[in-house]
Amino acid sequence: MERGESRTRRGEGRFLREGDSGGSGRGGSGPSGEWPARASRAGAADDDAKAAARAARAARLAKARASRDAASPRPARSTRPGPQRRPRSEQAAAVRRPAPEPAPARRFPDPRLTGLGSGLFCGAVMLVLGYFDSLMFGSLTLYSVLFLPVCALTALWVREGDLLTAPVVVPIAFAVGLLAVADSGGGFSGRLMGIVSALATEAGWLYGGTLIAGVVVLVRRVRLIARRAAARRRANLSGG
């Protein structure tokens, strides 16, 4: 009996040792096998708790944003169309568009008289001035002074092809105007003597008016020659 009990106890001890070693090696139901399972369950619980915390935080943020939007509503969008940008081609065309030319300044009258027209103009004006002087003042000096601007206008208004006629017609016009202002002793001979006397006494004014007309004609002639030479040079350069 005693030997049987001892063998039974040895078998139970061997069985317990094998069970302990097998549980520790294969993760059995012993203390060493239960630890990894507990650790995994604890990690899963922590992950669930973190996920729940993140979801709660997201819900709070969404609720706060919704309350802020409700407190301050966004302004309604305007339905008016905004300014449309022009294409670059139209912008370039607008930039390259030349500025409007300024209105030409008002110029003095610049008529062009022929040789005959300049003679008729100067003679008619001097005749009118002679009659006016004889009626109002009767002074040959005033008549001679008025002769100077008439000579200048005649030389300025004659056309370029008849420039040389101006210094010729002004003395003739001076003599025509003397028919009205010169003293006449009676008859044709008396009037003729009065004209000759006036020409002799007013010769300085006559020469002065003729000189003015000659200077104006000379200046215009020089400018005309210079313009023609410049045009000829430009034609040669463009042709070459």
Side-chain angles (χ1 to χ4, degrees):
M1 286 293 288
E2 292 178 359
R3 291 178 180 175
E5 291 177 359
S6 62
R7 290 177 180 174
T8 302
R9 289 176 181 174
R10 288 187 196 132
E12 289 178 358
R14 189 182 302 113
F15 177 77
L16 289 174
R17 285 194 298 270
E18 291 178 356
D20 293 340
S21 61
S24 61
R26 293 188 300 269
S29 60
S32 58
E34 292 178 358
W35 173 252
R38 291 177 181 178
S40 61
R41 286 194 298 273
D46 292 339
D47 293 340
D48 295 340
K50 290 179 180 179
R54 284 195 296 269
R57 190 182 300 110
R60 287 195 301 270
L61 290 176
K63 186 176 181 181
R65 189 179 296 109
S67 61
R68 186 170 59 251
D69 293 342
S72 59
R74 295 181 180 179
R77 293 184 178 180
S78 176
T79 58
R80 298 177 59 184
Q84 298 180 357
R85 296 185 60 185
R86 295 182 178 179
R88 294 186 177 180
S89 58
E90 294 184 3
Q91 293 179 359
V95 171
R96 295 175 184 174
R97 185 178 301 168
E101 297 182 358
R106 297 185 63 181
R107 302 177 61 182
F108 291 103
D110 190 17
R112 284 292 174 258
L113 302 174
T114 62
L116 180 60
S118 62
L120 293 175
F121 165 77
C122 189
V125 172
M126 293 309 299
L127 187 60
V128 171
L129 290 177
Y131 276 111
F132 176 78
D133 184 27
S134 64
L135 291 175
M136 299 297 296
F137 305 100
S139 172
L140 286 174
T141 304
L142 178 61
Y143 172 81
S144 302
V145 171
L146 295 175
F147 172 67
L148 301 181
V150 174
C151 293
L153 290 177
T154 304
L156 285 173
W157 289 350
V158 67
R159 65 183 184 181
E160 295 176 348
D162 298 324
L163 287 175
L164 298 180
T165 60
V168 177
V169 298
V170 290
I172 300 173
F174 185 83
V176 171
L178 288 176
L179 294 174
V181 72
D183 294 333
S184 58
F188 177 75
S189 60
R191 186 171 294 275
L192 183 59
M193 289 302 296
I195 292 174
V196 173
S197 300
L199 287 173
T201 56
E202 305 296 329
W205 296 102
L206 176 61
Y207 293 150
T210 305
L211 181 61
I212 290 174
V215 171
V216 172
V217 166
L218 181 62
V219 171
R220 290 186 60 191
R221 183 66 180 178
V222 171
R223 293 181 60 185
L224 175 62
I225 294 173
R227 286 199 303 269
R228 288 178 179 176
R232 192 179 300 110
R233 285 195 299 270
R234 286 196 298 269
N236 292 336
L237 291 175
S238 60

mmCIF file with all atom_site columns, all heavy atoms in Angstrom, residues 116-130:
data_model
loop_
_atom_site.group_PDB
_atom_site.id
_atom_site.type_symbol
_atom_site.label_atom_id
_atom_site.label_alt_id
_atom_site.label_comp_id
_atom_site.label_asym_id
_atom_site.label_entity_id
_atom_site.label_seq_id
_atom_site.pdbx_PDB_ins_code
_atom_site.Cartn_x
_atom_site.Cartn_y
_atom_site.Cartn_z
_atom_site.occupancy
_atom_site.B_iso_or_equiv
_atom_site.pdbx_formal_charge
_atom_site.auth_seq_id
_atom_site.auth_comp_id
_atom_site.auth_asym_id
_atom_site.auth_atom_id
_atom_site.pdbx_PDB_model_num
ATOM 1  N N   . LEU A 1 116 ? -0.875  140.388 -111.264 1.00 0.00 ? 116 LEU A N   1
ATOM 2  C CA  . LEU A 1 116 ? -1.905  141.377 -111.558 1.00 0.00 ? 116 LEU A CA  1
ATOM 3  C C   . LEU A 1 116 ? -2.794  141.638 -110.352 1.00 0.00 ? 116 LEU A C   1
ATOM 4  O O   . LEU A 1 116 ? -3.168  142.786 -110.056 1.00 0.00 ? 116 LEU A O   1
ATOM 5  C CB  . LEU A 1 116 ? -2.746  140.897 -112.740 1.00 0.00 ? 116 LEU A CB  1
ATOM 6  C CG  . LEU A 1 116 ? -3.889  141.810 -113.188 1.00 0.00 ? 116 LEU A CG  1
ATOM 7  C CD1 . LEU A 1 116 ? -3.343  143.181 -113.602 1.00 0.00 ? 116 LEU A CD1 1
ATOM 8  C CD2 . LEU A 1 116 ? -4.686  141.156 -114.319 1.00 0.00 ? 116 LEU A CD2 1
ATOM 9  N N   . GLY A 1 117 ? -3.123  140.564 -109.620 1.00 0.00 ? 117 GLY A N   1
ATOM 10 C CA  . GLY A 1 117 ? -3.964  140.735 -108.437 1.00 0.00 ? 117 GLY A CA  1
ATOM 11 C C   . GLY A 1 117 ? -3.288  141.557 -107.359 1.00 0.00 ? 117 GLY A C   1
ATOM 12 O O   . GLY A 1 117 ? -3.939  142.376 -106.689 1.00 0.00 ? 117 GLY A O   1
ATOM 13 N N   . SER A 1 118 ? -1.987  141.363 -107.159 1.00 0.00 ? 118 SER A N   1
ATOM 14 C CA  . SER A 1 118 ? -1.277  142.171 -106.170 1.00 0.00 ? 118 SER A CA  1
ATOM 15 C C   . SER A 1 118 ? -1.248  143.646 -106.577 1.00 0.00 ? 118 SER A C   1
ATOM 16 O O   . SER A 1 118 ? -1.393  144.538 -105.721 1.00 0.00 ? 118 SER A O   1
ATOM 17 C CB  . SER A 1 118 ? 0.146   141.643 -105.994 1.00 0.00 ? 118 SER A CB  1
ATOM 18 O OG  . SER A 1 118 ? 0.867   141.751 -107.215 1.00 0.00 ? 118 SER A OG  1
ATOM 19 N N   . GLY A 1 119 ? -1.075  143.932 -107.893 1.00 0.00 ? 119 GLY A N   1
ATOM 20 C CA  . GLY A 1 119 ? -1.096  145.327 -108.336 1.00 0.00 ? 119 GLY A CA  1
ATOM 21 C C   . GLY A 1 119 ? -2.453  145.971 -108.119 1.00 0.00 ? 119 GLY A C   1
ATOM 22 O O   . GLY A 1 119 ? -2.553  147.118 -107.654 1.00 0.00 ? 119 GLY A O   1
ATOM 23 N N   . LEU A 1 120 ? -3.541  145.235 -108.450 1.00 0.00 ? 120 LEU A N   1
ATOM 24 C CA  . LEU A 1 120 ? -4.880  145.773 -108.246 1.00 0.00 ? 120 LEU A CA  1
ATOM 25 C C   . LEU A 1 120 ? -5.187  145.979 -106.762 1.00 0.00 ? 120 LEU A C   1
ATOM 26 O O   . LEU A 1 120 ? -5.814  146.983 -106.379 1.00 0.00 ? 120 LEU A O   1
ATOM 27 C CB  . LEU A 1 120 ? -5.912  144.833 -108.871 1.00 0.00 ? 120 LEU A CB  1
ATOM 28 C CG  . LEU A 1 120 ? -5.885  144.722 -110.398 1.00 0.00 ? 120 LEU A CG  1
ATOM 29 C CD1 . LEU A 1 120 ? -6.880  143.672 -110.875 1.00 0.00 ? 120 LEU A CD1 1
ATOM 30 C CD2 . LEU A 1 120 ? -6.157  146.073 -111.043 1.00 0.00 ? 120 LEU A CD2 1
ATOM 31 N N   . PHE A 1 121 ? -4.753  145.023 -105.934 1.00 0.00 ? 121 PHE A N   1
ATOM 32 C CA  . PHE A 1 121 ? -4.987  145.154 -104.492 1.00 0.00 ? 121 PHE A CA  1
ATOM 33 C C   . PHE A 1 121 ? -4.290  146.394 -103.939 1.00 0.00 ? 121 PHE A C   1
ATOM 34 O O   . PHE A 1 121 ? -4.901  147.220 -103.238 1.00 0.00 ? 121 PHE A O   1
ATOM 35 C CB  . PHE A 1 121 ? -4.508  143.890 -103.778 1.00 0.00 ? 121 PHE A CB  1
ATOM 36 C CG  . PHE A 1 121 ? -4.360  144.032 -102.300 1.00 0.00 ? 121 PHE A CG  1
ATOM 37 C CD1 . PHE A 1 121 ? -5.475  144.015 -101.476 1.00 0.00 ? 121 PHE A CD1 1
ATOM 38 C CD2 . PHE A 1 121 ? -3.101  144.201 -101.720 1.00 0.00 ? 121 PHE A CD2 1
ATOM 39 C CE1 . PHE A 1 121 ? -5.347  144.169 -100.103 1.00 0.00 ? 121 PHE A CE1 1
ATOM 40 C CE2 . PHE A 1 121 ? -2.962  144.345 -100.346 1.00 0.00 ? 121 PHE A CE2 1
ATOM 41 C CZ  . PHE A 1 121 ? -4.082  144.320 -99.541  1.00 0.00 ? 121 PHE A CZ  1
ATOM 42 N N   . CYS A 1 122 ? -3.014  146.542 -104.238 1.00 0.00 ? 122 CYS A N   1
ATOM 43 C CA  . CYS A 1 122 ? -2.262  147.666 -103.687 1.00 0.00 ? 122 CYS A CA  1
ATOM 44 C C   . CYS A 1 122 ? -2.794  149.002 -104.209 1.00 0.00 ? 122 CYS A C   1
ATOM 45 O O   . CYS A 1 122 ? -2.948  149.976 -103.454 1.00 0.00 ? 122 CYS A O   1
ATOM 46 C CB  . CYS A 1 122 ? -0.783  147.509 -104.041 1.00 0.00 ? 122 CYS A CB  1
ATOM 47 S SG  . CYS A 1 122 ? 0.302   148.691 -103.224 1.00 0.00 ? 122 CYS A SG  1
ATOM 48 N N   . GLY A 1 123 ? -3.109  149.082 -105.514 1.00 0.00 ? 123 GLY A N   1
ATOM 49 C CA  . GLY A 1 123 ? -3.623  150.337 -106.065 1.00 0.00 ? 123 GLY A CA  1
ATOM 50 C C   . GLY A 1 123 ? -4.973  150.698 -105.476 1.00 0.00 ? 123 GLY A C   1
ATOM 51 O O   . GLY A 1 123 ? -5.240  151.878 -105.158 1.00 0.00 ? 123 GLY A O   1
ATOM 52 N N   . ALA A 1 124 ? -5.883  149.717 -105.333 1.00 0.00 ? 124 ALA A N   1
ATOM 53 C CA  . ALA A 1 124 ? -7.212  150.009 -104.787 1.00 0.00 ? 124 ALA A CA  1
ATOM 54 C C   . ALA A 1 124 ? -7.126  150.473 -103.340 1.00 0.00 ? 124 ALA A C   1
ATOM 55 O O   . ALA A 1 124 ? -7.812  151.432 -102.930 1.00 0.00 ? 124 ALA A O   1
ATOM 56 C CB  . ALA A 1 124 ? -8.094  148.766 -104.894 1.00 0.00 ? 124 ALA A CB  1
ATOM 57 N N   . VAL A 1 125 ? -6.286  149.813 -102.547 1.00 0.00 ? 125 VAL A N   1
ATOM 58 C CA  . VAL A 1 125 ? -6.167  150.200 -101.139 1.00 0.00 ? 125 VAL A CA  1
ATOM 59 C C   . VAL A 1 125 ? -5.596  151.605 -101.014 1.00 0.00 ? 125 VAL A C   1
ATOM 60 O O   . VAL A 1 125 ? -6.079  152.439 -100.214 1.00 0.00 ? 125 VAL A O   1
ATOM 61 C CB  . VAL A 1 125 ? -5.304  149.172 -100.386 1.00 0.00 ? 125 VAL A CB  1
ATOM 62 C CG1 . VAL A 1 125 ? -5.002  149.671 -98.972  1.00 0.00 ? 125 VAL A CG1 1
ATOM 63 C CG2 . VAL A 1 125 ? -6.012  147.827 -100.311 1.00 0.00 ? 125 VAL A CG2 1
ATOM 64 N N   . MET A 1 126 ? -4.570  151.941 -101.795 1.00 0.00 ? 126 MET A N   1
ATOM 65 C CA  . MET A 1 126 ? -3.977  153.270 -101.707 1.00 0.00 ? 126 MET A CA  1
ATOM 66 C C   . MET A 1 126 ? -4.938  154.345 -102.206 1.00 0.00 ? 126 MET A C   1
ATOM 67 O O   . MET A 1 126 ? -4.962  155.478 -101.670 1.00 0.00 ? 126 MET A O   1
ATOM 68 C CB  . MET A 1 126 ? -2.682  153.312 -102.506 1.00 0.00 ? 126 MET A CB  1
ATOM 69 C CG  . MET A 1 126 ? -1.568  152.455 -101.941 1.00 0.00 ? 126 MET A CG  1
ATOM 70 S SD  . MET A 1 126 ? -1.257  152.727 -100.184 1.00 0.00 ? 126 MET A SD  1
ATOM 71 C CE  . MET A 1 126 ? -0.797  154.459 -100.155 1.00 0.00 ? 126 MET A CE  1
ATOM 72 N N   . LEU A 1 127 ? -5.757  154.036 -103.203 1.00 0.00 ? 127 LEU A N   1
ATOM 73 C CA  . LEU A 1 127 ? -6.744  155.006 -103.665 1.00 0.00 ? 127 LEU A CA  1
ATOM 74 C C   . LEU A 1 127 ? -7.792  155.280 -102.594 1.00 0.00 ? 127 LEU A C   1
ATOM 75 O O   . LEU A 1 127 ? -8.182  156.448 -102.358 1.00 0.00 ? 127 LEU A O   1
ATOM 76 C CB  . LEU A 1 127 ? -7.407  154.496 -104.938 1.00 0.00 ? 127 LEU A CB  1
ATOM 77 C CG  . LEU A 1 127 ? -8.352  155.466 -105.648 1.00 0.00 ? 127 LEU A CG  1
ATOM 78 C CD1 . LEU A 1 127 ? -7.616  156.734 -106.074 1.00 0.00 ? 127 LEU A CD1 1
ATOM 79 C CD2 . LEU A 1 127 ? -9.000  154.789 -106.857 1.00 0.00 ? 127 LEU A CD2 1
ATOM 80 N N   . VAL A 1 128 ? -8.255  154.222 -101.911 1.00 0.00 ? 128 VAL A N   1
ATOM 81 C CA  . VAL A 1 128 ? -9.229  154.402 -100.828 1.00 0.00 ? 128 VAL A CA  1
ATOM 82 C C   . VAL A 1 128 ? -8.616  155.208 -99.693  1.00 0.00 ? 128 VAL A C   1
ATOM 83 O O   . VAL A 1 128 ? -9.257  156.117 -99.115  1.00 0.00 ? 128 VAL A O   1
ATOM 84 C CB  . VAL A 1 128 ? -9.721  153.026 -100.332 1.00 0.00 ? 128 VAL A CB  1
ATOM 85 C CG1 . VAL A 1 128 ? -10.564 153.186 -99.063  1.00 0.00 ? 128 VAL A CG1 1
ATOM 86 C CG2 . VAL A 1 128 ? -10.537 152.340 -101.406 1.00 0.00 ? 128 VAL A CG2 1
ATOM 87 N N   . LEU A 1 129 ? -7.362  154.889 -99.326  1.00 0.00 ? 129 LEU A N   1
ATOM 88 C CA  . LEU A 1 129 ? -6.700  155.635 -98.259  1.00 0.00 ? 129 LEU A CA  1
ATOM 89 C C   . LEU A 1 129 ? -6.489  157.103 -98.656  1.00 0.00 ? 129 LEU A C   1
ATOM 90 O O   . LEU A 1 129 ? -6.580  158.011 -97.808  1.00 0.00 ? 129 LEU A O   1
ATOM 91 C CB  . LEU A 1 129 ? -5.343  154.981 -97.933  1.00 0.00 ? 129 LEU A CB  1
ATOM 92 C CG  . LEU A 1 129 ? -5.406  153.619 -97.238  1.00 0.00 ? 129 LEU A CG  1
ATOM 93 C CD1 . LEU A 1 129 ? -4.000  153.054 -97.053  1.00 0.00 ? 129 LEU A CD1 1
ATOM 94 C CD2 . LEU A 1 129 ? -6.126  153.723 -95.901  1.00 0.00 ? 129 LEU A CD2 1
ATOM 95 N N   . GLY A 1 130 ? -6.203  157.340 -99.951  1.00 0.00 ? 130 GLY A N   1
ATOM 96 C CA  . GLY A 1 130 ? -6.041  158.732 -100.392 1.00 0.00 ? 130 GLY A CA  1
ATOM 97 C C   . GLY A 1 130 ? -7.327  159.516 -100.255 1.00 0.00 ? 130 GLY A C   1
ATOM 98 O O   . GLY A 1 130 ? -7.326  160.668 -99.766  1.00 0.00 ? 130 GLY A O   1
#
